[in-house]
């Protein structure tokens, strides 16, 4: 049988790690480290680190979530030190429904959410199931603020634990300069 080894653990699932708050996310990370003996992080930690790295203070969030999960995200972001100006979701409740979100549709939705909060200095696109890498640069261009999103920035946080930069030019402010 093939043996696979790992150098770190990244828990992929934004709402999974933020739903019970910032302290729970920290405990979850510590549990992963102790259970595996490896460096570990979560998707929620990745977006927080990403937001901090782009100088976010006043955040607006575009999500795949329903109202309840959006409230939980808002609380998590406030606990993590951000002023949350607004959170708007697509109302998706079934994981498989996220596959119906097109790149163009997601970009338009995110730009619209950003436009509701002109005082925001960063936008978060939250949900690991949303395909966001390709919309980061166009969203920043249209929204005139840095954009951080779940999967790309969780992976960015993970590779940084390995001592790599996570640099990916052409995919938004943070990944381009990492």
């Amino acid at each position: 049988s093939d043996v696979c080894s790992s150098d770190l653990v990244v828990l992929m699932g934004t709402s999974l790690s933020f739903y019970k708050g910032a302290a729970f996310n920290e405990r979850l990370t510590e549990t992963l480290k102790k259970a595996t003996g490896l460096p570990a992080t979560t998707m929620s930690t990745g977006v927080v680190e990403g937001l901090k790295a782009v100088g976010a203070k006043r955040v607006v969030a575009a999500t795949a979530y329903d109202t309840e999960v959006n409230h939980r995200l808002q609380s998590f972001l406030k606990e993590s030190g951000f002023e949350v100006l607004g959170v708007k979701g697509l109302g998706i409740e079934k994981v498989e429904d996220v596959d119906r979100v097109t790149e163009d549709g997601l970009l338009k939705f995110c730009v619209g959410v950003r436009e509701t909060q002109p005082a925001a200095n960063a936008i978060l696109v939250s949900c690991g199931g949303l395909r966001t890498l390709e919309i980061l640069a166009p969203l920043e261009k249209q929204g005139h603020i840095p954009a951080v999103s779940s999967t790309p920035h969780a992976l960015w946080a993970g590779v940084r634990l390995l001592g790599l930069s996570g640099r990916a030019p052409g995919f938004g402010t943070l990944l381009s300069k990492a």
Side-chain angles (χ1 to χ4, degrees), residues 5-83:
S5 71
S6 298
D7 294 323
L8 82 135
V9 176
V10 180
L11 183 122
M12 301 298 277
T14 325
S15 58
L16 173 68
S17 48
F18 73 64
Y19 196 81
K20 293 184 178 181
F24 175 81
N25 181 56
E26 289 174 23
R27 286 193 308 273
L28 185 58
T29 304
E30 290 307 311
T31 300
L32 288 169
K33 289 177 184 176
K34 287 178 185 169
T36 64
L38 297 171
T41 191
T42 69
M43 197 170 264
S44 293
T45 299
V47 299
V48 166
E49 290 176 358
L51 288 167
K52 288 180 178 177
V54 297
K57 301 278 188 240
R58 296 173 315 281
V59 177
V60 62
T63 79
Y65 317 131
D66 63 19
T67 303
E68 174 61 25
V69 180
N70 281 339
H71 286 306
R72 301 287 185 128
L73 174 62
Q74 185 167 6
S75 295
F76 173 80
L77 291 171
K78 285 180 180 178
E79 291 170 6
S80 300
F82 302 102
E83 181 181 350

Side-chain angles (χ1 to χ4, degrees), residues 49-50 53-54 152-153 155-157 159-160 163-178:
E49 290 176 358
V54 297
H153 294 94
L155 295 172
W156 167 82
V159 298
R160 289 178 65 236
L164 303 171
S165 72
R167 191 166 188 269
F171 296 104
T173 299
L174 181 56
L175 297 180
S176 291
K177 71 177 185 180

Side-chain angles (χ1 to χ4, degrees), residues 3 12-14 29 32-33 56 64 77 99 110 114-115 128 132 135 146 149 151 155 157 165 170:
V3 176
M12 301 298 277
T14 325
T29 304
L32 288 169
K33 289 177 184 176
L77 291 171
D99 292 334
C110 292
R114 190 285 186 259
E115 288 172 351
T132 58
I135 72 158
S149 65
T151 299
L155 295 172
S165 72

